[in-house]
Amino acid sequence: ERDASFVIGYAASEVKSFATTSGLVTDIEINISDDDVYLSWIGGALILGLEGGVGVLFDDPEICYETFEGWKVYRKYLNDPVLDRLRPNQIHTWNGQWLTYKLGRDFRTDFNFDTLKNEGVFKVDTDKIEVETIPWTRLFFSLSNRFPNEEKLGNVFSLGQTNKTFGFYPFYLKSARKLVEIYQKLFSEESYAINKQEFESLFGKHIKRSCELGAIGLQALEPKNLSKYFGKDSNLKLREPRYSRKKNEGDEDYQERLKKLKEKDNQNLITFQTYKTWLIAMITKNKEELLDYTSGIAKALVKYREGARGNERKNLLEKQLFATSRKRDFLKALNDIVSDSSVEKDIIEQMKELRNRAFLMNDEDFSYLSLLLKFDYAYQERISNQ
């Protein structure tokens, strides 16, 4: 019997009562040739392993050949006596890492083991070396670097004790290119080169959740933890931390704490940049105009807040305007600003224009606009307090 014990991806062998862990089985006799058995191993060895125990195969000659080229590199490292701690049987995981590096912007023809270790391909411990599993978004961005305006059909599945088939999905690679282009326009190409890895790692729902959307594109790339900021549940903390020394704190402890504070602050800024980039990409109209639009509105709102002595305006912004996900409440808060005769004329005009824009938006675009404005306001607050 041609079964899963030696044919990759086939059903388990239970002739009389087919195994409950096998799908698409039949009692119709199907002739499976020796060539098909061998080809299942070659096809299986081309699987791109991703986080979550999921694999993907693209029926694309260039992607398959680039994956095959990586086998030689992996085999070389497995044969190297210096790397005798390298864990074997990780070809799927290696494929995902190799293709991400080979098609990415940072590929060098003179790479070596240390290069790949620094790229996060290998995890080195005292007792073992193993290939790290790649997030699907990292692979997605690298594929978009090679195929910037294309879509590729990918078969997403999981082979293991239980085989799972998620289906065939279009991967809209131009979505990643769009995000990169928007980020570079907003924050410069130099900033992207420095923060590329952190920027890319913040994107993406779990691959299984992404498949539920029916396609792998902008929607599937929604940044991690972004959903908690819709409505009043949470605010992005962008205020610059205080770096003053604590009482009786030694130099070494102070420098270590200072380093951690700066790292966390930098991560917060990258998170803000990533969220803003995705939100702008998701708004379907006036994308180019929106690159600077919400920043200008946020500056006006900070100016509006600073024009009052008490907390009335601050509370209006933080507890009404930014605390709602409903368009009706958002517009009401804007009307309160516009109706205040003590507010400067230029701010009133900007708020009227925002009100008109928000009113004409569909609910989805409005939710993205209001959240984008919330983030830009937090960033402008940071700048005004420096």
Side-chain angles (χ1 to χ4, degrees), residues 32-43:
I32 300 169
S33 68
D34 288 349
D35 281 351
D36 286 339
V37 174
Y38 282 111
L39 288 170
S40 79
W41 282 80
I42 295 172

Side-chain angles (χ1 to χ4, degrees), residues 124-139:
V124 180
D125 292 327
T126 53
D127 59 335
K128 66 179 177 180
I129 303 170
E130 61 183 353
V131 183
E132 292 272 57
T133 312
I134 198 79
W136 73 265
T137 50
R138 293 280 312 282
L139 175 63

Side-chain angles (χ1 to χ4, degrees), residues 187 236 238 269 272-273 276 295 298 302 373-386:
F187 308 110
L236 189 64
L238 286 178
L269 288 174
F272 157 71
Q273 293 170 348
K276 178 168 182 173
S295 294
V302 170
L373 184 57
K374 185 177 181 178
F375 290 156
D376 270 325
Y377 176 79
Y379 183 70
Q380 291 301 325
E381 261 199 322
R382 173 194 174 96
I383 294 175
S384 67
N385 290 323
Q386 287 178 347

Side-chain angles (χ1 to χ4, degrees), residues 31-68:
N31 180 42
I32 300 169
S33 68
D34 288 349
D35 281 351
D36 286 339
V37 174
Y38 282 111
L39 288 170
S40 79
W41 282 80
I42 295 172
L46 287 167
I47 293 171
L48 306 173
L50 307 172
E51 271 185 355
V54 173
V56 60
L57 277 168
F58 293 97
D59 186 13
D60 181 275
E62 189 172 351
I63 292 176
C64 287
Y65 189 76
E66 291 287 11
T67 306
F68 161 71

Side-chain angles (χ1 to χ4, degrees), residues 15-147:
V15 176
K16 292 183 179 179
S17 55
F18 293 107
T20 56
T21 56
S22 299
L24 302 176
V25 293
T26 177
D27 59 359
I28 299 172
E29 187 174 343
I30 299 174
N31 180 42
I32 300 169
S33 68
D34 288 349
D35 281 351
D36 286 339
V37 174
Y38 282 111
L39 288 170
S40 79
W41 282 80
I42 295 172
L46 287 167
I47 293 171
L48 306 173
L50 307 172
E51 271 185 355
V54 173
V56 60
L57 277 168
F58 293 97
D59 186 13
D60 181 275
E62 189 172 351
I63 292 176
C64 287
Y65 189 76
E66 291 287 11
T67 306
F68 161 71
E69 287 287 289
W71 293 357
K72 304 170 187 177
V73 181
Y74 186 43
R75 182 76 264 168
K76 182 183 74 172
Y77 291 144
L78 287 171
N79 290 343
D80 191 336
V82 177
L83 302 175
D84 59 342
R85 292 176 292 142
L86 180 58
R87 178 182 161 191
N89 303 326
Q90 282 193 286
I91 187 64
H92 298 163
T93 309
W94 164 262
N95 288 341
Q97 283 280 15
W98 165 257
L99 201 64
T100 298
Y101 177 62
K102 180 68 193 308
L103 303 187
R105 290 173 170 236
D106 298 328
F107 176 71
R108 293 166 36 190
T109 55
D110 61 342
F111 71 91
N112 55 30
F113 180 85
D114 286 333
T115 307
L116 298 182
K117 185 179 75 171
N118 293 334
E119 287 291 323
V121 175
F122 294 106
K123 180 182 178 182
V124 180
D125 292 327
T126 53
D127 59 335
K128 66 179 177 180
I129 303 170
E130 61 183 353
V131 183
E132 292 272 57
T133 312
I134 198 79
W136 73 265
T137 50
R138 293 280 312 282
L139 175 63
F140 190 89
F141 274 94
S142 286
L143 286 171
S144 75
N145 189 54
R146 176 65 67 89
F147 310 103

Side-chain angles (χ1 to χ4, degrees), residues 61-297:
E62 189 172 351
I63 292 176
C64 287
Y65 189 76
E66 291 287 11
T67 306
F68 161 71
E69 287 287 289
W71 293 357
K72 304 170 187 177
V73 181
Y74 186 43
R75 182 76 264 168
K76 182 183 74 172
Y77 291 144
L78 287 171
N79 290 343
D80 191 336
V82 177
L83 302 175
D84 59 342
R85 292 176 292 142
L86 180 58
R87 178 182 161 191
N89 303 326
Q90 282 193 286
I91 187 64
H92 298 163
T93 309
W94 164 262
N95 288 341
Q97 283 280 15
W98 165 257
L99 201 64
T100 298
Y101 177 62
K102 180 68 193 308
L103 303 187
R105 290 173 170 236
D106 298 328
F107 176 71
R108 293 166 36 190
T109 55
D110 61 342
F111 71 91
N112 55 30
F113 180 85
D114 286 333
T115 307
L116 298 182
K117 185 179 75 171
N118 293 334
E119 287 291 323
V121 175
F122 294 106
K123 180 182 178 182
V124 180
D125 292 327
T126 53
D127 59 335
K128 66 179 177 180
I129 303 170
E130 61 183 353
V131 183
E132 292 272 57
T133 312
I134 198 79
W136 73 265
T137 50
R138 293 280 312 282
L139 175 63
F140 190 89
F141 274 94
S142 286
L143 286 171
S144 75
N145 189 54
R146 176 65 67 89
F147 310 103
N149 298 308
E150 297 184 39
E151 66 179 74
K152 299 290 183 183
L153 192 65
N155 179 18
V156 184
F157 56 90
S158 174
L159 296 183
Q161 196 166 15
T162 302
N163 294 342
K164 299 176 182 177
T165 300
F166 298 97
F168 291 82
Y169 300 94
F171 283 64
Y172 294 112
L173 302 176
K174 59 185 178 182
S175 300
R177 290 301 311 156
K178 181 178 181 180
L179 289 169
V180 171
E181 288 168 3
I182 290 174
Y183 183 94
Q184 290 175 333
K185 287 179 181 177
L186 287 170
F187 308 110
S188 81
E189 293 185 18
E190 182 182 4
S191 179
Y192 175 74
I194 295 170
N195 300 321
K196 181 175 76 72
Q197 192 158 335
E198 290 85 351
F199 170 74
E200 292 178 3
S201 67
L202 286 170
F203 284 105
K205 299 174 181 283
H206 192 287
I207 185 65
K208 296 176 184 178
R209 292 289 309 280
S210 301
C211 290
E212 293 173 4
L213 298 170
I216 313 298
L218 269 180
Q219 190 76 51
L221 286 165
E222 178 182 317
K224 298 176 179 68
N225 301 320
L226 178 66
S227 58
K228 73 179 183 180
Y229 294 105
F230 286 97
K232 62 183 179 181
D233 294 335
S234 190
N235 289 307
L236 189 64
K237 308 297 186 201
L238 286 178
R239 286 184 178 272
E240 192 169 8
R242 295 181 179 180
Y243 298 124
S244 55
R245 188 192 295 266
K246 293 181 179 179
K247 187 177 181 180
N248 300 324
E249 187 176 29
D251 287 341
E252 188 174 337
D253 291 338
Y254 172 65
Q255 291 300 327
E256 182 65 25
R257 186 172 63 85
L258 189 65
K259 179 183 176 183
K260 290 180 180 178
L261 283 172
K262 288 183 176 180
E263 286 175 353
K264 185 176 180 180
D265 185 51
N266 185 59
Q267 187 59 53
N268 284 341
L269 288 174
I270 295 172
T271 300
F272 157 71
Q273 293 170 348
T274 304
Y275 287 173
K276 178 168 182 173
T277 300
W278 184 82
L279 288 166
I280 288 177
M282 285 299 295
I283 298 174
T284 56
K285 297 176 182 177
N286 302 320
K287 296 181 185 64
E288 291 298 324
E289 181 186 346
L290 278 170
L291 287 174
D292 298 314
Y293 177 73
T294 51
S295 294
I297 294 293

